[in-house]
Each structure stands twice: as C-alpha cells, then as structure tokens.
Amino acid sequence: EAGGAALGRAADRLFSLSGLFAVRKPKGPTSAAVLNLLKERLLAEAGVQTNGNKRNQVLKIGHGGTLDSAATGVLVVGIGKGTKMLGTMLAGSKKYTAIGMLGKATDTLDATGKVTEEKPYDQVTKGDLENVLQKFTGDIMQVPPLYSALKKDGERLSTLMKRGEAVEAKPARPVRVYSLSLQQFQPPLFTLDVECGGGFYVRSLVNDIGKELSTCARQQELTRTKQGPFTLEEHALHEDKWTIDEIARSLERCTALLLGEPARKKMKTQHPSETAGICE
C-alpha cells in the first residue's frame, strides 16, 4: 500500500513539473532519442504505465533546438508549460566549441559523412586562419547544410538525402555571429569558439572556412557549451541526474536564471523553418 501511495505522489510531482532546464546530450543519439530516454526514465520512476501509445498524452516535454547526433553539450528541455517557452530558446544565442579538420570535406560537413574531397593544407598558417575568421564575424549570409533537420515538403532534408533523392541547396540566409576565435591550431586540426544566433550551422562555417583558405575542411567534433543562460558546466544535468528530484531542483534554479536573462539576446532573427522538438 505504502509503495503505491509513494508512487502516486511521485507521479503527481512529475506532472506538476513546469519550466525549462538543461541536460547534457551525449555523443551518438539524436536529440529526439535523448528526449525519449529522459521521458522513459521519468515515467518509470513515477511508476506510470506506458502501455502502447498512451504515453504520448501523458507527459509534455520538448527541446529547444536540435544538436546533431555526433554533437554533444547543452540541450535545453521544456516540461509542462515550459514547452511554450522553447521558441525563445531557438532564437536566442548559443555558444559552441568546434574542432575542424583541414584537408578533407564530407557530404554531411562533419566526421560522419563520406569524404567528397581531399586537398593539401600545409600552406595554411595560424595567421591565415585568424584573418579568415574576421570574414565570418557579425551579420553574415550562410547556406545551410544539405544534411540537416530543415524541411522540404514536410520531410527533413537529411531523410531525403539518405533516400538518394536530389535535394537542392537552400538559399543563403542571414545569420549572426557575435564572436569567433581560434583556440588552438595543430594542423590539420583547429579549435574554434563560436557564439552565434538562431539558425546558424557550425559545420557550414567550418566548411566555408576551408574553402576560404583554398583548401577544404570538415567538422570533427562539436560541443554546445551554452544556450541562452544555460551553460554546460553549471546547468546541464548528466544522465545519472535525470530524476524527478534533480529536475525539480534544476527547474527552480533555472527559473531564476531566465528572469535574469539580458534583453539583447531576445532580438534574434528566427527562421520559420526551425521548430522546437516537442513530443506531446
């Protein structure tokens, strides 16, 4: 009996959770898969039966902007009424640390794709790289990658590409880069710190940098270190902390954080083709 009452309380507590928090996305799974795992953990802890497709009506949860499966870092999660706040996260500023590799280009622009081009890169100096970065700072135009979550006729471009369908490149669109700096250069690898607005693709940046240096480049690794006010170090919950208690505690801290968000980050251009990933 007591066990049942405790589970009932856990379920009530789970369904009363509301707001935004952040988790640390590991490398490998898609952002949607991470969300599903989180959801399963919480429902299991609350003892909620997830029979068949019923669970979808149960817990409202979503994320504020996809991270590629090969990428890691901050994934902002909305729960309950917090799912309505995810749009502002998509448009807000984000920080990334990216490792690029000179001399190789791939169809996906990252390490998961097929190599499409190889070029010498030994002529590239640290100074060359630093100079080129200035061209990619501020308000710039960027062509999004073909392998992406952007949609054509309701289907993701990456899905169409994998089926072998011809996909036309999306037109270049305006994006904003607040800051861009070179942290390390050990050819062929270079490490960048990027702070950017909504709709920006770091792997497109790495690819464009390669072209600008008369060679080619692909993204080797990507970590999102900050999204809005949420940082990887301070706020992103590791998988062992995906519990009702830890999330409740995190939601309290994060509500205070969001109230203190500076206004400048709200002035973002949001691209209509981007949607927050909400699974009802």
Side-chain angles (χ1 to χ4, degrees):
E1 270 302 297
L7 279 177
R9 278 200 303 278
D12 288 346
R13 189 145 187 237
L14 174 58
F15 294 119
S16 70
L17 294 177
S18 189
L20 296 179
F21 63 101
V23 296
R24 181 185 177 282
K25 180 197 166 300
K27 197 172 171 164
T30 62
S31 296
V34 169
L35 218 58
N36 282 333
L37 180 62
L38 175 67
K39 201 167 170 176
E40 276 166 26
R41 289 271 186 91
L42 294 173
L43 290 170
E45 187 191 342
V48 177
Q49 292 301 310
T50 55
N51 39 3
N53 243 353
K54 291 254 173 68
R55 69 176 185 170
N56 289 345
Q57 279 80 57
V58 184
L59 185 61
K60 204 167 181 190
I61 197 166
H63 67 73
T66 306
L67 263 179
D68 292 333
S69 41
T72 174
V74 177
L75 188 66
V76 175
V77 178
I79 192 165
K81 292 198 176 72
T83 52
K84 295 194 169 51
M85 299 155 71
L86 290 168
T88 56
M89 295 297 6
L90 272 173
S93 104
K94 304 158 186 72
K95 281 186 181 173
Y96 295 91
T97 298
I99 299 176
M101 179 188 254
L102 292 169
K104 277 193 168 83
T106 60
D107 53 0
T108 57
L109 313 188
D110 67 12
T112 65
K114 290 198 285 285
V115 175
T116 52
E117 194 178 15
E118 294 197 50
K119 283 187 162 181
Y121 56 85
D122 28 2
Q123 70 285 6
V124 177
T125 67
K126 190 177 181 189
D128 293 338
L129 244 174
E130 284 171 335
N131 288 338
V132 155
L133 296 187
Q134 291 168 17
K135 293 192 180 181
F136 295 100
T137 307
D139 289 312
I140 62 168
M141 297 298 283
Q142 184 186 66
V143 176
L146 286 176
Y147 279 90
S148 71
L150 298 181
K151 294 192 166 136
K152 178 194 170 189
D153 306 329
E155 278 203 277
R156 285 174 170 237
L157 294 184
S158 51
T159 311
L160 297 170
M161 293 284 289
K162 282 173 192 156
R163 273 213 307 263
E165 295 191 21
V167 175
E168 277 173 46
K170 291 259 180 186
R173 49 191 200 164
V175 289
R176 183 169 290 177
V177 179
Y178 292 106
S179 65
L180 178 57
S181 60
L182 181 65
Q183 295 305 312
Q184 246 188 327
F185 183 47
Q186 293 174 300
L189 300 178
F190 58 96
T191 305
L192 303 173
D193 274 349
V194 190
E195 184 178 4
C196 55
F200 184 84
Y201 280 91
V202 180
R203 53 199 164 99
S204 291
L205 168 72
V206 171
N207 181 61
D208 292 344
I209 286 171
K211 287 183 188 156
E212 198 65 45
L213 291 164
S214 307
T215 175
C216 54
R218 68 163 189 214
Q219 178 180 288
Q220 192 68 7
E221 267 179 56
L222 183 68
T223 305
R224 183 151 67 198
T225 54
K226 190 169 193 258
Q227 179 168 10
F230 302 97
T231 68
L232 186 55
E233 300 265 300
E234 280 182 274
H235 311 111
L237 298 175
H238 280 253
E239 213 178 309
D240 57 349
K241 294 219 160 86
W242 294 359
T243 64
I244 297 170
D245 278 352
E246 288 287 355
I247 288 169
R249 203 170 303 149
S250 198
L251 285 167
E252 276 174 36
R253 287 180 61 200
C254 294
T255 304
L257 249 188
L258 288 161
L259 293 171
E261 250 293 66
R264 86 163 175 115
K265 302 299 190 197
K266 297 280 188 285
M267 303 287 297
K268 280 304 134 355
T269 50
Q270 187 174 347
H271 297 287
S273 55
E274 277 168 80
T275 48
I278 298 178
C279 27
E280 300 286 324

